[in-house]
């Protein structure tokens, strides 16, 4: 019923004159000066900061998110608002609290973010990514796994693993992303390669060479990028175990590794399974709990499914309640995925609560994302969006 009202709502709001004044109802909502926080250190974000926006500096955004990590719709919003501001939300604060109490001498803790589409799992991961960058973790970040499974730039038969498929250009792009996030830190840490890596008769990365040499080789020689990634992640696990570095693994759409098949085809036009990709095994290895001095945070996303019921893409109140009450096992759609991650800490990401919702409305008003309003507009948007962050952003685009 609510979904059917969205087109009428858009038409209704488009007829409102620009001279209408912006008013808010007298329900629980922050004042105009309370929807932002000046605290830029993510480690200091606490439960008292929840619902407030903080701004990521431009230079940090280019370094950390320059090659991915933010949803495309959010990147468009960044250009429109001329700033990158994230809302401090409970799931990120909760995980940061857990990380602060972590004993890094024990096997890595795995955190699983799950929830409805559009609730903010990717932006929660981005918040944690910024935290890891500020705390000088070596970041192993995959912005969106399904890109490899559905939109690979190029495929090639692996020269090191029979029957496997390389993604040379995607591998090189990921190494460039890794270098952008960690290049300066790796130089400061002075991490080196533990053994010789022979690529061809003339190309070799000798033991004792800087770890960045592996990265550079994979970027410059895309043919070997997937093997370079496998070597890089293996070396980082060893350095973490030895206490020479602290590593944070963040993977968005992790359950794509456990789908029955991908959209990629072999030379014989047969569907490629995720386990046939040479990129799959290294990232499954780094998310096992057989190493220490690190943290793993992954998202389980319903959007990775190859055949998704698009009629359910717009959540309603009952959908939100059902998802919220689901146990973690029912959210992870693959038994293999569950067993791979077990034991893990499930963290549910839900839509805005009332304080977060009105804070977001205030932010949109300040950035002129909402320009035409009338009395009670915020309550109508609250009903139409079901307080889903993505749906709210889309609904406000026409205002």
């Amino acid at each position: 019923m609510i979904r059917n009202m969205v087109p009428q709502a858009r038409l209704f709001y488009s007829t409102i004159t620009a001279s209408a004044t912006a008013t808010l109802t007298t329900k629980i909502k922050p004042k105009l000066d309370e929807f932002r926080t000046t605290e830029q250190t993510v480690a200091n974000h606490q439960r008292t900061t929840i619902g407030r926006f903080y701004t990521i500096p431009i230079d940090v955004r280019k370094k950390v998110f320059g090659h991915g990590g933010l949803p495309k719709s959010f990147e468009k919003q960044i250009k429109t608002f001329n700033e990158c501001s994230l809302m401090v939300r409970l799931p990120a604060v909760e995980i940061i609290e857990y990380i602060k109490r972590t004993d890094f001498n024990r096997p890595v803790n795995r955190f699983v973010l799950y929830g409805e589409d559009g609730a903010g799992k990717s932006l929660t991961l981005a918040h944690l990514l910024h935290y890891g960058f500020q705390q000088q973790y070596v970041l192993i970040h995959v912005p969106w796994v399904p890109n490899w499974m559905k939109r690979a730039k190029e495929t090639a038969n692996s020269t090191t693993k029979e029957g496997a498929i390389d993604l040379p250009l995607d591998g090189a792009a990921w190494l460039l992303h890794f270098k952008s996030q960690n290049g300066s830190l790796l130089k400061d840490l002075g991490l080196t390669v533990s053994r010789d890596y022979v690529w061809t008769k003339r190309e070799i990365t000798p033991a004792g060479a800087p770890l960045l040499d592996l990265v550079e080789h994979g970027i410059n020689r895309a043919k070997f990028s997937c093997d370079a990634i496998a070597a890089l992640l293996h070396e980082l696990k060893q350095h973490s175990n030895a206490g020479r570095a602290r590593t944070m693994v963040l993977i968005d759409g992790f359950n794509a590794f456990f789908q029955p098949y991908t959209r990629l085809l072999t030379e014989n036009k047969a569907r490629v399974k995720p386990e046939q990709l040479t990129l799959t095994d290294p990232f499954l290895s780094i998310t096992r709990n057989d190493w220490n001095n690190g943290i793993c945070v992954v998202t389980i996303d319903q959007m990775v499914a190859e055949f998704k019921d698009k009629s359910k893409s717009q959540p309603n109140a009952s959908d939100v309640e059902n998802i919220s009450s689901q146990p973690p096992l029912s959210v992870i759609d693959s038994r293999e995925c569950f067993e791979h991650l077990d034991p893990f800490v499930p963290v549910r990401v839900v839509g805005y609560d009332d304080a977060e919702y009105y804070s977001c409305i205030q932010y949109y008003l300040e950035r002129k994302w909402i320009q035409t309003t009338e009395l009670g507009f915020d309550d109508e948007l609250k009903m139409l969006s079901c307080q889903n962050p993505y749906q709210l952003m889309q609904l406000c685009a026409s205002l």
Side-chain angles (χ1 to χ4, degrees):
M1 180 65 181
I2 292 177
R3 288 196 292 269
N4 295 333
M5 296 172 62
V6 174
Q8 290 86 342
R10 289 179 178 272
L11 180 61
F12 172 72
Y13 284 122
S14 65
T15 61
I16 299 176
T17 60
S19 61
T21 57
T23 58
L24 293 174
T25 60
T26 57
K27 295 186 178 181
I28 301 173
K29 49 185 177 287
K31 297 178 182 178
L32 279 172
D33 59 347
E34 289 185 344
F35 66 90
R36 286 186 185 271
T37 176
T38 57
E39 183 56 69
Q40 298 298 307
T41 303
V42 181
N44 295 335
H45 290 169
Q46 301 174 354
R47 293 177 184 261
T48 54
T49 324
I50 290 174
R52 301 185 183 186
F53 288 85
Y54 83 101
T55 302
I56 299 176
I58 295 176
D59 58 331
V60 174
R61 176 166 61 87
K62 289 181 179 179
K63 183 176 290 187
V64 179
F65 302 104
H67 299 275
L70 297 172
K72 289 185 178 180
S73 56
F74 188 75
E75 288 182 345
K76 291 180 181 178
Q77 183 175 283
I78 291 173
K79 292 181 180 179
T80 303
F81 293 174
N82 198 29
E83 68 173 19
C84 179
S85 292
L86 294 177
M87 180 186 285
V88 180
R89 302 195 64 199
L90 178 60
V93 172
E94 184 179 342
I95 292 177
I96 290 171
E97 290 175 348
Y98 291 147
I99 293 174
K100 290 178 179 178
R101 297 197 296 266
T102 295
D103 181 359
F104 287 97
N105 293 318
R106 295 181 177 274
V108 293
N109 291 327
R110 277 89 58 86
F111 300 93
V112 176
L113 295 169
Y114 72 98
E116 65 190 78
D117 292 347
K121 297 184 293 296
S122 295
L123 291 183
T124 297
L125 204 67
H127 193 177
L128 295 170
L129 184 63
H130 190 202
Y131 168 80
F133 178 78
Q134 288 185 338
Q135 297 299 309
Q136 294 193 318
Y137 284 80
V138 176
L139 302 174
I140 299 176
H141 173 229
V142 181
W144 186 235
V145 175
N147 283 338
W148 294 341
M149 311 294 176
K150 299 180 180 182
R151 291 175 285 274
K153 298 180 178 68
E154 181 187 22
T155 60
N157 292 325
S158 173
T159 57
T160 57
K161 187 176 179 181
E162 186 178 356
I165 303 296
D166 280 342
L167 305 179
L169 297 182
D170 292 282
W174 186 86
L175 287 170
L176 193 63
H177 178 56
F178 177 86
K179 180 184 176 183
S180 174
Q181 292 178 330
N182 302 286
S184 301
L185 178 61
L186 290 181
K187 289 180 181 178
D188 295 339
L189 294 175
L191 302 181
T192 59
V193 176
S194 62
R195 66 178 182 85
D196 293 345
Y197 288 94
V198 180
W199 311 105
T200 65
K201 292 181 179 179
R202 296 183 179 181
E203 296 174 296
I204 182 173
T205 303
L211 195 60
L212 274 176
D213 285 4
L214 271 180
V215 179
E216 293 287 357
H217 185 77
I219 294 172
N220 297 328
R221 296 279 282 143
K223 175 182 178 181
F224 302 109
S225 62
C226 295
D227 293 330
I229 290 173
L232 174 66
L233 299 191
H234 174 73
E235 294 287 343
L236 285 174
K237 285 180 74 171
Q238 290 187 332
H239 286 301
S240 294
N241 284 330
R244 291 186 287 268
R246 186 165 287 178
T247 305
M248 177 178 280
V249 181
L250 305 107
I251 302 178
D252 201 359
F254 180 76
N255 51 323
F257 286 126
F258 297 90
Q259 293 300 301
Y261 48 80
T262 71
R263 290 185 185 176
L264 309 180
L265 301 176
T266 64
E267 294 178 349
N268 299 326
K269 304 302 179 183
R271 284 236 177 175
V272 176
K273 296 180 179 180
E275 57 266 27
Q276 291 179 263
L277 299 178
T278 50
L279 284 177
T280 298
D281 188 61
F283 287 100
L284 291 184
S285 176
I286 200 68
T287 51
R288 294 189 178 97
N289 63 341
D290 56 356
W291 57 289
N292 55 34
N293 207 23
I295 292 290
C296 292
V297 185
V298 303
T299 71
I300 299 298
D301 204 304
Q302 302 170 62
M303 294 177 65
V304 307
E306 184 65 16
F307 298 103
K308 183 173 182 290
D309 187 356
K310 295 183 179 180
S311 64
K312 296 182 180 180
S313 60
Q314 167 78 17
N316 54 40
S318 61
D319 293 334
V320 174
E321 184 178 353
N322 290 337
I323 292 174
S324 300
S325 61
Q326 286 178 340
L329 176 58
S330 64
V331 176
I332 299 179
D333 54 4
S334 167
R335 185 74 192 184
E336 291 79 10
C337 182
F338 178 87
E339 291 176 349
H340 176 84
L341 291 171
D342 189 46
F344 62 89
V345 180
V347 179
R348 188 175 71 234
V349 182
V350 297
Y352 290 144
D353 61 23
D354 285 347
E356 290 174 333
Y357 170 77
Y358 287 112
S359 177
C360 185
I361 290 293
Q362 293 283 7
Y363 178 68
Y364 284 167
L365 286 169
E366 190 230 27
R367 304 314 297 177
K368 307 300 182 184
W369 189 242
I370 300 177
Q371 298 187 32
T372 55
T373 61
E374 70 167 20
L375 183 64
F377 80 96
D378 50 342
D379 284 335
E380 293 196 39
L381 285 173
K382 183 178 180 180
M383 178 186 67
L384 292 170
S385 66
C386 297
Q387 294 177 247
N388 179 278
Y390 176 76
Q391 296 299 333
L392 177 62
M393 181 181 67
Q394 295 297 99
L395 285 169
C396 293
S398 61
L399 304 183

